[in-house]
Amino acid sequence: MQKTSKISAMVNGKCPHCRRGNIFTGNVYGFNIQKTNTVCGNCGQRFEIEPGYFYAAMYVSYAMNVAEMLALGIATYTFSGGNLEFDSLWLYLTVIFTGCLILSPFNYRYSRVILLHWLSPKIRYNVLYDKG
């Protein structure tokens, strides 16, 4: 039996306590809407530790959104040949807001994953539950 790595658990949206159970139902981009499970199906870890716990994920999502906007703005500047004319304002706005709209399901999921795996001192990995 092999232990699951932390990076693999984060990428696949697995429980930070056992690294086996799913944090979400549904896919990031799919027809079934992704929802956060209340408890892990493998170890029983409660994901929303206290009421309003996932409000902190908004701050993580905000940081992700700012980084994405900057990256999209720089990419638009690069691919447009360094065009910063006032006429190109709509190009920048369209690219940045479309990119943010497309990445919003990704931000929803991974802001919560980052919050649970890296920013939650109450949840620690327990190797005893990492049985597949």
Side-chain angles (χ1 to χ4, degrees):
M1 176 174 27
Q2 186 173 350
K3 293 190 315 183
T4 308
S5 72
K6 184 170 190 151
I7 299 297
S8 174
M10 288 180 70
V11 168
N12 295 315
K14 300 296 182 181
C15 172
H17 188 62
C18 67
R19 298 183 184 165
R20 295 288 175 175
N22 292 323
I23 297 174
F24 298 96
T25 61
N27 297 327
V28 177
Y29 295 104
F31 291 111
N32 50 350
I33 296 174
Q34 62 177 334
K35 292 182 184 176
T36 306
N37 289 325
T38 53
V39 295
C40 175
N42 187 50
C43 67
Q45 170 69 44
R46 186 169 170 79
F47 294 126
E48 189 171 7
I49 299 171
E50 53 197 31
Y53 180 72
F54 285 121
Y55 285 129
M58 289 189 308
Y59 298 108
V60 177
S61 179
Y62 176 76
M64 292 170 66
N65 231 340
V66 168
E68 291 160 359
M69 285 182 182
L70 285 172
L72 288 169
I74 291 169
T76 304
Y77 175 79
T78 303
F79 291 125
S80 69
N83 188 3
L84 282 177
E85 301 290 325
F86 183 74
D87 297 338
S88 64
L89 175 67
W90 291 109
L91 171 68
Y92 283 93
L93 290 175
T94 303
V95 169
I96 289 172
F97 287 125
T98 304
C100 288
L101 185 65
I102 291 170
L103 291 171
S104 63
F106 175 85
N107 290 344
Y108 170 80
R109 178 175 287 235
Y110 287 104
S111 65
R112 290 179 178 220
V113 168
I114 289 170
L115 178 69
L116 287 169
H117 278 272
W118 281 348
L119 304 174
S120 296
K122 295 180 181 180
I123 302 176
R124 298 205 189 280
Y125 172 64
N126 189 342
V127 72
L128 297 175
Y129 290 112
D130 192 0
K131 297 176 184 170

